[in-house]
Amino acid sequence: MRDNASRLVPFLFIFSGMSSLILEIVWTKQMILTFGMTAAGVATVLTAFMAGLSLGSYVLGKFGNRFKNPLTVYGKLELIIGVYALLLPWFFDFITQFFIYLVQGEQYSFFVQSIIRFILSFSVLIIPTTLMGGTLPVLSAYYIRSEEKFGKSLGLLYSANTSGAVLGTLISGFLLLEYLGSFKTTIFAACFNFIICGAAYVISYHERVSGARGRLEKTRRVEQGPQSERAHSRSLSPTQKAVLICAFLSGFAALSLEVIWARMLVLSIGSSTYAFTTILVSFLIGIAGGSYVISKWVDRFRQPLLALAGLQIGIGILSLLLLPLFEFLPIILDVLKILHNYEWLPFTLTAFAISFLVLLGPTLFMGATFPLVGRFVAVGNVDQSAGIGLVYSTNTIGSIFGSFTGGFLLIPLVGVKYAVFITVLANFLASFIMILSDKQRSWKSYLLLSGLVIFMAVNFTIVGKWDALLHRGLMGIQGAEIRSTVDQAQKALVEREVQTLYVKEGIQSTVAVIKDLTSDIMALKIDGKTVASSHYQDMRVQKMLGHLPMLLAKKGQKALVVGLGTGMTFGALGLYPQLQTTCIELEAAVIGAAEYFSEYNNAAVSPKPHTKIVIDDGRNYILKLSGTVDIITMDPIHPWVAGAASLFSRDHFMVCLDKLSPGGIMCLWAPLYQLDPVDYKTMVRSFVDVFPHSQIWYTNTDAILIGSNRPIHVDVARIQNILQNEIIRQDLAQVNLDSLESILISYWANRTELLKFVGNVPLNDDDLPILEYNVPRHRFKKTIHTSLYILNQIRSPQYKNIELLTANQIEKLNTLYQSEGLAIKGKILFFAGNHLPAKKYFKQAIDLSPSQSDYKYFLGASCNRLGKDAAAAGKPEAAILDFEEAVSYLPDDLDVHYNLGVAYNNAGRFKKELRENIWLVQHQPLLSAGHLALADTYVRFDMFSEALRHYEKAVYLNPSLKTAELATRMKTLEQRLLKKIGIPGL
């Protein structure tokens, strides 16, 4: 019988799991900052961590039953972990400096760098992780008192520890790191280690005084095979060794599937830090639940090997059945965004609920595996603690191999669908081994195997190809307008016509290039998020990030570009042959994607003697850089994406400042969207706090921060000289920046004005990464108009401080400054959705500066939006006026012409509709909606052969049009045809 004090032990293990997971998350984040966010860097850190756990469970497990008082030993383990955790930040500082010393300026191979990372990671983490790994077998030696309830006790401990891991993941991911930062979070976790230590000693003292604690009672043996195999011995029977193989394969499959599922889920729920927290919590809840549930029955199984085989088969079958479900998640979640009015918290809770429900089945079976395996291996041996340690160690080693295989080999080589198939083969192999090892096997075993073979054959045949773009990349497509109702949202998602140009499941991310046929715009998508496109606004900032630092730098010999993207920034700098330019890209698959943007990026990825692309983490590459460079330009992914906020960190900016040559230029993309005013000011302040000389330049939906270690001199002669280069001037002309005035007018504020702008908002640094946790909460919000409004408050005519401008140039700039001010007011209203007053300001701006195509674009877009609103309100004539005006400003815009054709149809102006639809098909022959509209118009004019030809073309381009709606169209065509030939009754 247990006393009340010993019943508290599982609760101690809950807090132990919580503390361990918090420390693991903190340590992983800190080491990634040193070793980089590449798959190799992250895998190295995780491998070192899990290797320590495996070593600790194996080594300390051997001594668990030899300790006189395992509970006090457990307390000491927790105490040492806590003390070491408090010292570890200083160790991290040391290995960072040592790592830089080892690799700086050296061209080590991938293999050598990985070895260095592993040795340094393992040397720092070996002590605490070994102790963490030893807690389960040591505590089991205390807590498990009867073989009759061995499995139940082990299951409860494992479930308790995993439940603590759930709690630790939640509070660190949603609270601690955001509000306390890494160092204080470490202190928080260490305090729990100390509390656990104290509680363990108190319980031990209570038992010693009361005499309640006895040594482990071996009341009976569990009948599992011949007595010769169950004899009390330290050696394992062949059957137990087979079960250990099952433990290895189960761990392998579990971690491989976790990596694969995470890749698939982020395409739907996003890749913010909260998304990864949600996925991990969902996974761990299933593990904890499965362990707890199985603990009720694990000691009663008459055929434990058959039960173990059934669990492995269940994991495999459920994992395969999930594949089709993953393809529906994007539409489900997009609809839910609308239902929740784009609120972050309801969407996050919904995403968690969906992730939990999706992963619950297989993870329950995964969690149920460990207690069953642990009981079979440990019961019957004198050293049962060693048996538990051996099982845990073997399972963890399998997890290491699974994580590596899933992320490095399976996903890049065969894609996620077949990665799942190959991974679950490990589960099925484990089940096969268990059935063959079961000397009590019966017809049930053979039935299980037969069903498994049939299921695999059927499933492999009928499960369709996994669509890595999730319904042709619809999620997050730039410019997609999802309305305020569910029906309209579904219609927008289903009917949006896109052409898939490129898909690659890389080691880091899933990369795709799609073309929106309704706007003729190509978009680069990484993990479901549009990160760049050929849209005018995107192109303008991408090209400015390349040309602007070159226009401002005192010299231009060496340049670094962080982030390849579409290649436009890298390609812009590649136009300067005297400049040795290196582009650092995290995901190799992006290189193939950038080739599709060659028309816009000056063939950036084509081999050139003065440019090169390096696959590495941008921050880590700069940290390892030997010497200095003249230009660093950064176009990272948005800071709401997990890990990206570290590139907007004050600590990173300090490293960049150190790597700049005298007068060198740092150039940073500073998006105005998906950032609330405080977060935007935090980003700006973190930058200007480091660079003693700073500026901000503006372009539509983005700004560009410029920093230097010397005063930044805007050299008019240098800019004019560069603009004389015809190739460079043409590249700038694509985004209306081919004149001195159009460039200088983008310069909005200097450092003094920026310091007044940011005030005392908090800084974003490595210890307290505010942006990583704040920014995702605004990813669904329209914030451009707010950010632009507050930034406009510090806008001033900076050109008046520039020397050597002629009177004519100043006069042009004065006019342009006035028109730009009107256009900014128009853009604020435009992005806020107030298109009618915005239209007025854009017209006034054009009156002052007729040559500014930027203003014409926004005026045309405003008219187009007003036309849509009029059409929705049932005012076709008003819609026509707006769309016709939009066409006058955007004569090549497909969407405007399509909308105008629809408006003509609604107003009964079929001849004009015919004209628009012919134009649409001629300019975009791949747009099925254009062919469908043209066919409808031909039917009205009794041009049946032409109508049929375009109906067929529409269906060919979009097979999903084979619906009742198309059948109705064909019926209309048939009736008009019969009527024309005089057979109206048929």
Side-chain angles (χ1 to χ4, degrees):
M1 296 293 292
R2 297 188 186 279
D3 64 346
N4 291 329
S6 64
R7 290 194 180 101
L8 296 175
V9 169
F11 291 98
L12 295 186
F13 216 32
I14 289 175
F15 291 114
S16 176
M18 181 193 75
S19 173
S20 296
L21 240 295
I22 292 172
L23 291 175
E24 179 186 354
I25 290 171
V26 171
W27 294 343
T28 302
K29 282 181 172 290
Q30 290 179 328
M31 299 199 76
I32 285 173
L33 291 175
T34 298
F35 298 135
M37 280 197 66
T38 61
V42 175
T44 301
V45 173
L46 293 179
T47 298
F49 193 95
M50 289 192 288
L53 295 178
S54 177
L55 179 65
S57 62
Y58 179 77
V59 173
L60 291 176
K62 286 181 172 294
F63 298 95
N65 284 110
R66 303 180 192 179
F67 294 129
K68 184 177 180 180
N69 191 338
L71 185 59
T72 58
V73 173
Y74 167 70
K76 291 174 184 176
L77 294 179
E78 294 288 351
L79 175 65
I80 298 171
I81 292 170
V83 171
Y84 198 91
L86 295 178
L87 297 175
L88 210 53
W90 286 274
F91 294 156
F92 282 139
D93 290 340
F94 170 75
I95 67 163
T96 298
Q97 297 305 317
F98 189 58
F99 177 69
I100 295 171
Y101 170 77
L102 287 176
V103 303
Q104 194 170 56
E106 300 291 340
Q107 299 298 317
Y108 289 124
S109 67
F110 168 82
F111 178 76
V112 173
Q113 286 200 51
S114 297
I115 293 296
I116 293 172
R117 290 189 186 105
F118 178 78
I119 292 173
L120 291 177
S121 301
F122 193 70
S123 64
V124 172
L125 297 177
I126 179 63
I127 293 177
T129 55
T130 298
L131 300 181
M132 287 176 180
T135 55
L136 177 61
V138 170
L139 195 58
S140 297
Y142 166 82
Y143 187 72
I144 301 175
R145 304 186 180 187
S146 167
E147 287 190 356
E148 289 183 344
K149 297 182 179 180
F150 189 98
K152 178 179 180 180
S153 299
L154 179 59
L156 285 175
L157 283 180
Y158 190 69
S159 176
N161 195 246
T162 309
S163 298
V166 171
L167 183 60
T169 305
L170 277 172
I171 63 174
S172 60
F174 284 90
L175 293 173
L176 297 179
L177 289 170
E178 177 181 358
Y179 295 105
L180 298 182
S182 296
F183 184 70
K184 291 180 180 177
T185 296
T186 300
I187 296 174
F188 175 87
C191 286
F192 274 92
N193 293 117
F194 301 147
I195 292 171
I196 294 167
C197 173
Y201 269 88
V202 169
I203 294 172
S204 181
Y205 173 78
H206 171 78
E207 291 189 336
R208 187 170 67 251
V209 171
S210 64
R213 175 65 178 164
R215 295 298 293 165
L216 179 66
E217 298 177 36
K218 296 183 178 174
T219 58
R220 70 177 180 88
R221 300 176 185 176
V222 179
E223 296 298 330
Q224 295 175 351
Q227 289 295 323
S228 60
E229 289 188 5
R230 301 299 303 156
H232 286 53
S233 170
R234 296 183 187 278
S235 62
L236 297 175
S237 69
T239 305
Q240 288 173 316
K241 291 177 181 177
V243 172
L244 279 179
I245 294 174
C246 177
F248 174 87
L249 293 172
S250 177
F252 173 92
L255 259 291
S256 181
L257 286 171
E258 182 183 5
V259 170
I260 297 166
W261 288 336
R263 176 67 67 87
M264 291 192 285
L265 282 169
V266 298
L267 289 169
S268 298
I269 67 177
S271 51
S272 71
T273 186
Y274 297 114
F276 288 109
T277 298
T278 294
I279 294 169
L280 180 56
V281 167
S282 301
F283 189 86
L284 291 174
I285 288 177
I287 300 290
S291 181
Y292 179 78
V293 171
I294 198 71
S295 69
K296 304 287 186 181
W297 293 283
V298 65
D299 295 301
R300 306 176 193 173
F301 288 129
R302 295 182 179 180
Q303 289 183 276
L305 295 181
L306 183 61
L308 193 53
L311 289 176
Q312 297 307 303
I313 291 174
I315 294 169
I317 289 176
L318 290 172
S319 299
L320 292 174
L321 291 177
L322 286 179
L323 275 175
L325 179 60
F326 277 110
E327 297 201 33
F328 290 98
L329 290 182
I331 289 182
I332 294 171
L333 287 165
D334 272 314
V335 170
L336 289 172
K337 287 177 196 174
I338 299 165
L339 289 175
H340 294 312
N341 197 28
Y342 293 92
E343 291 294 332
W344 171 79
L345 183 58
F347 174 78
T348 301
L349 292 174
T350 302
F352 166 71
I354 290 175
S355 300
F356 170 71
L357 292 173
V358 166
L359 302 183
L360 181 61
T363 54
L364 280 173
F365 283 23
M366 290 174 185
T369 299
F370 182 82
L372 194 55
V373 172
R375 186 186 193 284
F376 194 93
V377 172
V379 170
N381 286 311
V382 170
D383 205 344
Q384 294 181 342
S385 174
I388 293 173
L390 181 59
V391 170
Y392 189 84
S393 176
T394 304
N395 186 256
T396 305
I397 292 172
S399 299
I400 293 172
F401 281 94
S403 176
F404 176 86
T405 303
F408 277 87
L409 299 178
L410 296 182
I411 293 177
L413 293 178
V414 300
V416 291
K417 174 195 168 183
Y418 293 109
V420 172
F421 271 106
I422 294 171
T423 297
V424 300
L425 287 177
N427 295 111
F428 295 147
L429 177 60
S431 67
F432 184 72
I433 293 172
M434 290 300 92
I435 291 173
L436 292 182
S437 302
D438 187 3
K439 296 180 180 179
Q440 303 177 39
R441 62 179 177 267
S442 62
W443 62 270
K444 296 179 182 178
S445 303
Y446 297 110
L447 181 63
L448 205 60
L449 277 178
S450 301
L452 172 61
V453 172
I454 294 171
F455 176 82
M456 279 292 291
V458 172
N459 195 276
F460 195 84
T461 304
I462 66 173
V463 174
K465 179 183 177 183
W466 160 256
D467 185 357
L469 286 175
L470 293 173
H471 294 276
R472 300 181 298 165
L474 292 169
M475 180 189 172
I477 189 168
Q478 178 135 350
E481 297 176 8
I482 299 178
R483 308 288 185 260
S484 59
T485 68
V486 175
D487 289 341
Q488 289 171 324
Q490 290 174 320
K491 184 178 179 181
L493 287 166
V494 173
E495 292 186 355
R496 194 90 184 167
E497 293 194 50
V498 295
Q499 181 183 10
T500 302
L501 302 178
Y502 173 84
V503 184
K504 177 68 175 177
E505 291 174 306
I507 293 177
Q508 295 281 154
S509 307
T510 299
V511 180
V513 177
I514 62 172
K515 187 173 186 178
D516 183 352
L517 299 180
T518 59
S519 62
D520 213 24
I521 292 171
M522 290 193 300
L524 170 65
K525 298 168 71 66
I526 297 180
D527 285 339
K529 171 179 168 48
T530 300
V531 298
S533 74
S534 60
H535 191 282
Y536 170 78
Q537 295 179 41
D538 271 0
M539 287 179 58
R540 186 176 172 94
V541 68
Q542 290 173 82
K543 289 186 178 293
M544 279 187 73
L545 284 165
H547 290 289
L548 187 57
M550 196 61 187
L551 296 173
L552 298 175
K554 293 184 182 298
K555 61 178 181 178
Q557 295 178 349
K558 290 184 179 180
L560 287 181
V561 178
V562 176
L564 175 63
T566 62
M568 294 187 205
T569 300
F570 182 46
L573 284 168
L575 296 178
Y576 301 85
Q578 75 276 21
L579 187 68
Q580 294 294 319
T581 304
T582 301
C583 180
I584 316 303
E585 173 53 50
L586 190 63
E587 173 54 70
V590 174
I591 297 175
E595 292 180 357
Y596 287 86
F597 294 87
S598 295
E599 175 186 353
Y600 309 102
N601 66 22
N602 307 300
V605 298
S606 300
K608 299 181 183 68
H610 62 290
T611 65
K612 67 176 179 179
I613 300 173
V614 176
I615 303 302
D616 203 345
D617 174 78
R619 174 174 169 143
N620 187 247
Y621 185 91
I622 295 173
L623 185 68
K624 298 181 296 185
L625 188 66
S626 177
T628 61
V629 294
D630 304 309
I631 292 170
I632 300 175
T633 186
M634 293 177 47
D635 185 14
I637 202 166
H638 200 282
W640 72 257
V641 175
S646 66
L647 292 171
F648 297 86
S649 162
R650 183 180 183 276
D651 302 82
H652 173 57
F653 294 148
M654 291 177 68
V655 174
C656 291
L657 178 66
D658 184 59
K659 300 298 182 180
L660 284 179
S661 63
I665 294 293
M666 168 74 177
C667 184
L668 175 70
W669 171 64
L672 293 169
Y673 55 92
Q674 296 178 326
L675 286 159
D676 80 340
V678 175
D679 290 338
Y680 196 82
K681 289 180 179 180
T682 290
M683 178 174 61
V684 174
R685 187 189 172 199
S686 301
F687 186 89
V688 300
D689 189 67
V690 171
F691 290 95
H693 305 280
S694 311
Q695 300 173 347
I696 192 165
W697 295 60
Y698 164 75
T699 169
N700 292 327
T701 61
D702 307 277
I704 295 174
L705 288 166
I706 297 292
S708 182
N709 49 24
R710 299 287 190 275
I712 303 170
H713 177 62
V714 181
D715 189 337
V716 173
R718 176 182 173 83
I719 295 173
Q720 289 179 319
N721 183 55
I722 289 174
L723 289 176
Q724 288 179 2
N725 184 309
E726 185 62 22
I727 296 176
I728 294 174
R729 192 190 65 76
Q730 288 180 2
D731 194 52
L732 287 166
Q734 291 184 50
V735 290
N736 197 35
L737 288 170
D738 54 336
S739 68
L740 175 69
E741 294 79 13
S742 62
I743 293 171
L744 296 183
I745 205 64
S746 301
Y747 177 19
W748 273 29
N750 57 35
R751 188 171 187 268
T752 301
E753 292 153 337
L754 287 172
L755 288 173
K756 293 178 183 177
F757 168 69
V758 299
N760 293 318
V761 297
L763 294 165
N764 181 60
D765 58 33
D766 289 345
D767 181 68
L768 193 61
I770 296 170
L771 295 181
E772 183 167 357
Y773 295 94
N774 277 358
V775 176
R777 293 173 178 160
H778 305 284
R779 56 179 285 216
F780 302 132
K781 296 293 185 181
K782 294 181 179 179
T783 62
I784 298 176
H785 63 287
T786 306
S787 299
L788 185 54
Y789 175 79
I790 61 171
L791 194 60
N792 191 43
Q793 306 304 307
I794 62 168
R795 174 176 173 265
S796 62
Q798 297 294 322
Y799 61 86
K800 291 185 177 180
N801 301 318
I802 297 174
E803 299 175 353
L804 302 179
L805 286 172
T806 65
N808 183 48
Q809 288 169 336
I810 292 175
E811 182 181 354
K812 288 182 179 179
L813 284 166
N814 285 334
T815 302
L816 193 54
Y817 183 80
Q818 185 180 355
S819 64
E820 185 74 2
L822 292 167
I824 295 300
K825 291 180 180 179
K827 290 175 185 179
I828 293 171
L829 292 166
F830 176 88
F831 291 120
N834 298 318
H835 297 284
L836 189 59
K839 177 180 172 182
K840 179 187 71 174
Y841 282 113
F842 290 134
K843 282 190 171 183
Q844 292 175 2
I846 291 174
D847 289 340
L848 285 172
S849 302
S851 63
Q852 288 296 102
S853 58
D854 189 40
Y855 306 160
K856 294 178 181 178
Y857 165 79
F858 279 99
L859 177 54
S862 292
C863 294
N864 190 37
R865 181 65 261 178
L866 288 169
K868 290 180 180 181
D869 291 341
K875 300 176 181 178
E877 294 298 335
I880 287 172
L881 292 176
D882 288 320
F883 288 134
E884 286 179 338
E885 187 174 6
V887 167
S888 69
Y889 295 111
L890 300 173
D892 298 321
D893 192 288
L894 295 170
D895 188 51
V896 173
H897 281 278
Y898 179 80
N899 292 332
L900 180 56
V902 173
Y904 282 143
N905 173 270
N906 292 336
R909 302 188 191 182
F910 300 125
K911 289 185 177 180
K912 290 191 174 182
E913 178 196 11
L914 179 62
R915 181 193 66 194
E916 292 301 321
N917 290 335
I918 290 173
W919 184 96
L920 197 64
V921 168
Q922 288 175 342
H923 286 77
Q924 181 48 279
L926 298 179
L927 183 64
S928 67
H931 288 280
L932 200 61
L934 182 56
D936 289 343
T937 310
Y938 278 139
V939 169
R940 293 187 186 93
F941 287 96
D942 293 338
M943 301 171 69
F944 303 116
S945 60
E946 289 86 350
L948 187 60
R949 178 164 58 88
H950 286 283
Y951 277 137
E952 291 174 347
K953 185 67 173 179
V955 172
Y956 173 79
L957 292 171
N958 187 0
S960 65
L961 290 174
K962 294 176 180 179
T963 62
E965 184 179 356
L966 182 62
T968 301
R969 282 185 161 94
M970 298 303 294
K971 187 67 175 177
T972 302
L973 185 151
E974 179 186 11
Q975 289 174 348
R976 291 186 67 94
L977 177 60
L978 293 174
K979 183 178 180 180
K980 186 175 180 64
I981 61 177
I983 317 178
L986 295 179

